[in-house]
Amino acid sequence: QVQLVESGGGLVQTGGSLRLSCAASGRTFSRNFMGWFRQAPGKEREFVALISWSGGITDYSGSVKGRFAISRDNAKNTVYLQMNSLKPEDTAVYYCALGAVGSDNSKAWSYWGQGTQVAVSS
């Protein structure tokens, strides 16, 4: 089994920054992809960003491109999401995911964390 634990969420003002972390443990397979999704109240879970094992492949949703940056430290089995220029519409629960392939479709991912709340005040 794989366990994913997110941290770093919180309350921030518009224009502020947060850095989310997700630590993976257990039988994490090599060459995996890791990603971030988010879900706002009353909305479906949506793709935010993904990164390949080597870091050579990254992808972002259009709504966060240029403001968010995903990175990973394989020695620590940890993926990060640096979020800058935050907006109220970024308010959501952010989920970390791990899988064998990278996709903006949540159904393609094998393992999920419990989520961390991000709230951006106007």
PDB file of all heavy atoms in Angstrom, residues 13-28:
ATOM      1  N   GLN A  13      -4.168  35.694   2.362  1.00  0.00           N
ATOM      2  CA  GLN A  13      -4.856  36.773   1.671  1.00  0.00           C
ATOM      3  C   GLN A  13      -4.601  36.710   0.165  1.00  0.00           C
ATOM      4  O   GLN A  13      -3.625  36.097  -0.291  1.00  0.00           O
ATOM      5  CB  GLN A  13      -4.393  38.122   2.213  1.00  0.00           C
ATOM      6  CG  GLN A  13      -4.827  38.396   3.646  1.00  0.00           C
ATOM      7  CD  GLN A  13      -4.434  39.791   4.105  1.00  0.00           C
ATOM      8  OE1 GLN A  13      -3.486  40.381   3.605  1.00  0.00           O
ATOM      9  NE2 GLN A  13      -5.166  40.314   5.072  1.00  0.00           N
ATOM     10  N   THR A  14      -5.474  37.340  -0.587  1.00  0.00           N
ATOM     11  CA  THR A  14      -5.291  37.433  -2.032  1.00  0.00           C
ATOM     12  C   THR A  14      -3.909  37.995  -2.352  1.00  0.00           C
ATOM     13  O   THR A  14      -3.478  38.982  -1.755  1.00  0.00           O
ATOM     14  CB  THR A  14      -6.368  38.328  -2.654  1.00  0.00           C
ATOM     15  OG1 THR A  14      -7.652  37.726  -2.452  1.00  0.00           O
ATOM     16  CG2 THR A  14      -6.136  38.512  -4.144  1.00  0.00           C
ATOM     17  N   GLY A  15      -3.231  37.329  -3.292  1.00  0.00           N
ATOM     18  CA  GLY A  15      -1.884  37.734  -3.666  1.00  0.00           C
ATOM     19  C   GLY A  15      -0.791  37.054  -2.875  1.00  0.00           C
ATOM     20  O   GLY A  15       0.389  37.177  -3.218  1.00  0.00           O
ATOM     21  N   GLY A  16      -1.161  36.332  -1.852  1.00  0.00           N
ATOM     22  CA  GLY A  16      -0.182  35.646  -1.018  1.00  0.00           C
ATOM     23  C   GLY A  16       0.297  34.342  -1.613  1.00  0.00           C
ATOM     24  O   GLY A  16      -0.087  33.966  -2.730  1.00  0.00           O
ATOM     25  N   SER A  17       1.140  33.650  -0.844  1.00  0.00           N
ATOM     26  CA  SER A  17       1.742  32.401  -1.308  1.00  0.00           C
ATOM     27  C   SER A  17       1.617  31.320  -0.240  1.00  0.00           C
ATOM     28  O   SER A  17       1.572  31.618   0.951  1.00  0.00           O
ATOM     29  CB  SER A  17       3.229  32.609  -1.625  1.00  0.00           C
ATOM     30  OG  SER A  17       3.411  33.548  -2.653  1.00  0.00           O
ATOM     31  N   LEU A  18       1.587  30.090  -0.707  1.00  0.00           N
ATOM     32  CA  LEU A  18       1.633  28.913   0.149  1.00  0.00           C
ATOM     33  C   LEU A  18       2.437  27.844  -0.554  1.00  0.00           C
ATOM     34  O   LEU A  18       2.473  27.801  -1.794  1.00  0.00           O
ATOM     35  CB  LEU A  18       0.232  28.371   0.444  1.00  0.00           C
ATOM     36  CG  LEU A  18      -0.633  29.076   1.481  1.00  0.00           C
ATOM     37  CD1 LEU A  18      -2.028  28.441   1.503  1.00  0.00           C
ATOM     38  CD2 LEU A  18      -0.006  29.023   2.862  1.00  0.00           C
ATOM     39  N   ARG A  19       3.045  26.969   0.228  1.00  0.00           N
ATOM     40  CA  ARG A  19       3.750  25.830  -0.336  1.00  0.00           C
ATOM     41  C   ARG A  19       3.181  24.561   0.274  1.00  0.00           C
ATOM     42  O   ARG A  19       3.281  24.351   1.480  1.00  0.00           O
ATOM     43  CB  ARG A  19       5.240  25.909  -0.038  1.00  0.00           C
ATOM     44  CG  ARG A  19       6.074  24.844  -0.750  1.00  0.00           C
ATOM     45  CD  ARG A  19       7.459  24.781  -0.162  1.00  0.00           C
ATOM     46  NE  ARG A  19       8.395  24.061  -1.024  1.00  0.00           N
ATOM     47  CZ  ARG A  19       9.505  23.471  -0.572  1.00  0.00           C
ATOM     48  NH1 ARG A  19       9.797  23.534   0.714  1.00  0.00           N
ATOM     49  NH2 ARG A  19      10.309  22.849  -1.405  1.00  0.00           N
ATOM     50  N   LEU A  20       2.596  23.738  -0.569  1.00  0.00           N
ATOM     51  CA  LEU A  20       2.069  22.456  -0.129  1.00  0.00           C
ATOM     52  C   LEU A  20       3.128  21.378  -0.298  1.00  0.00           C
ATOM     53  O   LEU A  20       3.926  21.423  -1.228  1.00  0.00           O
ATOM     54  CB  LEU A  20       0.838  22.076  -0.927  1.00  0.00           C
ATOM     55  CG  LEU A  20      -0.318  23.084  -0.957  1.00  0.00           C
ATOM     56  CD1 LEU A  20      -1.490  22.499  -1.748  1.00  0.00           C
ATOM     57  CD2 LEU A  20      -0.734  23.479   0.429  1.00  0.00           C
ATOM     58  N   SER A  21       3.102  20.419   0.611  1.00  0.00           N
ATOM     59  CA  SER A  21       3.992  19.258   0.531  1.00  0.00           C
ATOM     60  C   SER A  21       3.160  17.995   0.593  1.00  0.00           C
ATOM     61  O   SER A  21       2.090  17.967   1.208  1.00  0.00           O
ATOM     62  CB  SER A  21       4.997  19.259   1.683  1.00  0.00           C
ATOM     63  OG  SER A  21       5.802  20.402   1.676  1.00  0.00           O
ATOM     64  N   CYS A  22       3.667  16.950  -0.011  1.00  0.00           N
ATOM     65  CA  CYS A  22       3.012  15.646   0.043  1.00  0.00           C
ATOM     66  C   CYS A  22       4.094  14.591   0.164  1.00  0.00           C
ATOM     67  O   CYS A  22       4.901  14.416  -0.751  1.00  0.00           O
ATOM     68  CB  CYS A  22       2.169  15.401  -1.189  1.00  0.00           C
ATOM     69  SG  CYS A  22       1.503  13.726  -1.303  1.00  0.00           S
ATOM     70  N   ALA A  23       4.094  13.901   1.292  1.00  0.00           N
ATOM     71  CA  ALA A  23       5.079  12.856   1.541  1.00  0.00           C
ATOM     72  C   ALA A  23       4.469  11.493   1.258  1.00  0.00           C
ATOM     73  O   ALA A  23       3.394  11.169   1.776  1.00  0.00           O
ATOM     74  CB  ALA A  23       5.567  12.925   2.979  1.00  0.00           C
ATOM     75  N   ALA A  24       5.154  10.718   0.444  1.00  0.00           N
ATOM     76  CA  ALA A  24       4.703   9.376   0.100  1.00  0.00           C
ATOM     77  C   ALA A  24       5.485   8.335   0.883  1.00  0.00           C
ATOM     78  O   ALA A  24       6.692   8.479   1.090  1.00  0.00           O
ATOM     79  CB  ALA A  24       4.870   9.126  -1.395  1.00  0.00           C
ATOM     80  N   SER A  25       4.813   7.282   1.303  1.00  0.00           N
ATOM     81  CA  SER A  25       5.469   6.177   1.996  1.00  0.00           C
ATOM     82  C   SER A  25       4.802   4.880   1.596  1.00  0.00           C
ATOM     83  O   SER A  25       3.748   4.863   0.976  1.00  0.00           O
ATOM     84  CB  SER A  25       5.405   6.372   3.506  1.00  0.00           C
ATOM     85  OG  SER A  25       4.068   6.394   3.943  1.00  0.00           O
ATOM     86  N   GLY A  26       5.453   3.776   1.967  1.00  0.00           N
ATOM     87  CA  GLY A  26       4.918   2.467   1.606  1.00  0.00           C
ATOM     88  C   GLY A  26       5.530   1.978   0.305  1.00  0.00           C
ATOM     89  O   GLY A  26       6.634   2.360  -0.064  1.00  0.00           O
ATOM     90  N   ARG A  27       4.800   1.191  -0.408  1.00  0.00           N
ATOM     91  CA  ARG A  27       5.318   0.568  -1.620  1.00  0.00           C
ATOM     92  C   ARG A  27       5.135   1.487  -2.826  1.00  0.00           C
ATOM     93  O   ARG A  27       4.404   1.162  -3.772  1.00  0.00           O
ATOM     94  CB  ARG A  27       4.647  -0.778  -1.844  1.00  0.00           C
ATOM     95  CG  ARG A  27       4.876  -1.762  -0.699  1.00  0.00           C
ATOM     96  CD  ARG A  27       4.331  -3.128  -1.004  1.00  0.00           C
ATOM     97  NE  ARG A  27       5.060  -3.754  -2.091  1.00  0.00           N
ATOM     98  CZ  ARG A  27       4.823  -4.992  -2.536  1.00  0.00           C
ATOM     99  NH1 ARG A  27       3.872  -5.708  -1.976  1.00  0.00           N
ATOM    100  NH2 ARG A  27       5.516  -5.493  -3.527  1.00  0.00           N
ATOM    101  N   THR A  28       5.819   2.615  -2.761  1.00  0.00           N
ATOM    102  CA  THR A  28       5.776   3.524  -3.903  1.00  0.00           C
ATOM    103  C   THR A  28       6.637   2.937  -5.011  1.00  0.00           C
ATOM    104  O   THR A  28       7.797   2.648  -4.826  1.00  0.00           O
ATOM    105  CB  THR A  28       6.300   4.908  -3.520  1.00  0.00           C
ATOM    106  OG1 THR A  28       7.636   4.784  -3.061  1.00  0.00           O
ATOM    107  CG2 THR A  28       5.460   5.527  -2.426  1.00  0.00           C
TER     108      THR A  28
END
